[in-house]
Amino acid sequence: MTRSLRTSLVAVAAAALLSPVASSAQPAPSASAPSPSGAPSASAAPSASATPDPALTAEPAPSAPTPTEEAARTFREGRDAFKSEDYARALTLFQQSFSFEASAGTLLNIALTEEKLGKTASSLRHFERVTEMLDPADDRLPIAREGVQRVDLRAPRLKIQRAAGAPPTMAISIDDQPLAANLVGTDQLFDPGPHIVTTRVYGFEERRYDITLAEGQRLSLAVEPGARTLVAAPTADPASAASPSIPRLGAFALGGAGLASLGVGLVTGILAVSKNGELTAACPAPGPCDARGQELLGQTRTLADVSTATLIVGGVAAAAGAVLFFALPTSGQGSAPTKGSASVSLSAGLVPGAAAATLTGRF
């Protein structure tokens, strides 16, 4: 009897574990059965004619891919394009993948693709960057180092320096990209093919150099500005200078030209002083000048040259006019020169960085 009782208890326990609900639970009320008060039961299911809630029936909107997922997708597409030798499309896809997730593996594939396209300068830079990003134990590090050695032999170098006598404020650009002042005279990496070097400086015409670099080439280029655009300062050279004498009217003309030249010198000097104030703000000391400062420096030097030259020429011309005016006889104006009459010859000129004036005469 004891064994039969134990068998009965095990059967009851097993039935309780397999049952989805407890045996003491009350059956749920029928959906069609009315409540005692006659109102619909709270647990009753909605009727078929009821409008469904869109929030309950609409499918959830798909979530946007994460940057990591986008990086993986574009990387796979780039790898397929590389295998198909569509290197231009592969480079675009690898660059997109790197923009989503900047990984060393993606950058290594960018360097390999650029090498295939002949972009040796950018390929070498990226190979070198990968060697800095990878751990010493990474299996990809030898691939990156071999890429550095391989592409370094193919990448051309260009050294740009100022020619003798070129203004120090001359701006240099390569393919419309400015060359920093500290890079002048140093070897720079460029991709093989055509390139344009341009020089610009205030007071001179723009000059352009068209060059073509071959793989592995080492080229040094000395550049200078174009022709000067500012003309020489006004000079006092009377038409009668070749004549052995100058009448009193010529003395007035020479003196007037000298005064006019002095006026030009004063005006340009004032402009140079005003530019110098702007130059001080653009070129703080100590420190390099920015692009605006280099332009202002060129303008200031040009104005100073013109001011100096016109003041020298004006002073000489005014003095010569005064000397002639008082040395010429008061009578016989317009007549042929006689013994004791005065003659003078004035020549002046302006060259970059210097001015000269020469006065010769006989009184």
Side-chain angles (χ1 to χ4, degrees):
M1 181 176 180
T2 304
R3 182 178 180 180
S4 176
L5 180 59
R6 288 179 179 177
T7 304
S8 299
L9 291 174
V10 170
V12 171
L17 290 173
L18 296 174
S19 176
V21 294
S23 60
S24 61
Q26 298 297 326
S30 174
S32 59
S35 64
S37 62
S41 173
S43 61
S47 63
S49 61
T51 303
D53 187 353
L56 298 177
T57 60
E59 294 183 0
S63 59
T66 63
T68 301
E69 293 172 342
E70 282 294 318
R73 180 186 64 81
T74 51
F75 181 85
R76 289 192 299 269
E77 294 179 1
R79 184 178 55 192
D80 293 339
F82 187 92
K83 292 178 180 178
S84 301
E85 298 184 359
D86 189 356
Y87 300 122
R89 183 170 182 270
L91 179 59
T92 300
L93 291 168
F94 285 142
Q95 289 172 340
Q96 291 177 359
S97 178
F98 191 78
S99 67
F100 289 118
E101 187 173 351
S103 66
T106 304
L107 188 60
L108 178 59
N109 281 270
I110 289 175
L112 291 168
T113 308
E114 289 172 333
E115 181 184 2
K116 291 289 187 181
L117 292 171
K119 299 179 178 293
T120 55
S122 52
S123 176
L124 179 58
R125 294 189 186 99
H126 289 149
F127 274 129
E128 292 174 340
R129 176 59 180 149
V130 172
T131 61
E132 298 171 356
M133 296 173 65
L134 294 177
D135 294 330
D138 198 301
D139 295 339
R140 297 168 295 180
L141 185 58
I143 300 176
R145 287 176 174 172
E146 290 175 3
V148 171
Q149 296 175 0
R150 186 174 59 251
V151 180
D152 184 66
L153 299 175
R154 298 177 54 193
R157 266 83 168 175
L158 174 62
K159 179 191 294 185
I160 300 178
Q161 50 194 353
R162 292 184 176 88
T169 58
M170 180 179 64
I172 305 173
S173 62
I174 308 172
D175 299 329
D176 293 329
Q177 298 298 321
L179 179 66
N182 61 323
L183 297 180
V184 176
T186 63
D187 286 330
Q188 299 297 309
L189 285 171
F190 290 94
D191 291 332
H195 298 275
I196 300 174
V197 180
T198 309
T199 61
R200 299 180 181 89
V201 64
Y202 180 78
F204 295 85
E205 293 181 354
E206 177 181 294
R207 185 161 186 175
R208 166 174 166 161
Y209 298 82
D210 294 290
I211 60 174
T212 301
L213 297 176
E215 286 193 1
Q217 183 179 9
R218 301 294 189 270
L219 179 64
S220 180
L221 179 66
V223 296
E224 58 186 0
R228 193 176 185 96
T229 56
L230 294 179
V231 297
T235 59
D237 187 9
S240 58
S243 173
S245 62
I246 300 178
R248 188 176 296 272
L249 183 60
F252 277 112
L254 183 58
L259 293 176
S261 184
L262 287 173
V264 172
L266 291 174
V267 171
T268 53
I270 293 173
L271 291 175
V273 172
S274 64
K275 291 288 183 182
N276 189 58
E278 299 179 26
L279 180 62
T280 302
C283 296
C289 296
D290 54 19
R292 175 59 179 164
Q294 293 182 355
E295 182 180 358
L296 287 173
L297 183 59
Q299 295 176 1
T300 303
R301 289 180 175 178
T302 302
L303 290 172
D305 290 345
V306 174
S307 176
T308 302
T310 51
L311 286 174
I312 292 174
V313 173
V316 173
V323 170
L324 289 174
F325 179 81
F326 292 105
L328 286 173
T330 57
S331 61
Q333 295 182 7
S335 60
T338 59
K339 185 177 180 179
S341 61
S343 63
V344 68
S345 175
L346 173 67
S347 61
L350 173 64
V351 295
T358 304
L359 176 66
T360 59
R362 178 175 60 84
F363 305 95

